[in-house]
Amino acid sequence: MTALRLLSSAARRAPSALTLQRRGYAEVADKIKLSLVLPHQAIFTSTDVVQVNISAASGDMGILANHVPSIEPLRPGVVEVVESGNTSKKWFVSGGFANVHPGNKLTINVVEAAPLESFSLEATRANLSEALKVAAGNGSEEDKIEARIEADVYEALQHALGSK
């Protein structure tokens, strides 16, 4: 018997063993307990927030209460935290992972994060230009790859600052 048929057969025989939860829409009063953590610092620790917007590798996404549990790799971009009263705070992150847990809990682990307002658009443009020169230059392959990664981060930062 194939594994799928065996699993299906077992599920039919013991329906009471499987409990299915119904997903619903988030209520306005529902909150998420957010933990935003760096290796050396915790920015949020189980703090109640309304919504978190992330730059996932699969695309930008907003996370509300009652979100389906998932693990999302993060690309360089903005993590926006919407608190009560529709106030929001934005951080630029270099990458990491967002883990949506059952029970309205969200953990975001990143290597680097800084408030978006701490960056300068002019400095970002200058650094991007320099990284692109190195990536297109005659240096070693290692230098070119590092410069391309650096340029990707600066491009994401420039985009975030342009849409601030």
Side-chain angles (χ1 to χ4, degrees), residues 1-15 18:
M1 189 179 269
T2 67
L4 182 57
R5 285 185 25 209
L6 180 63
L7 184 60
S8 299
S9 175
R12 280 193 300 271
R13 286 187 196 130
L18 297 175

Side-chain angles (χ1 to χ4, degrees), residues 5-6 21 35 40 55 78 82 89 94-95 113 116 128-129 141:
R5 285 185 25 209
L6 180 63
Q21 293 181 344
S35 296
H40 62 280
S55 298
V78 174
V82 180
K89 297 178 182 174
S94 61
L116 191 57
L128 173 59
S129 176
E141 281 302 307

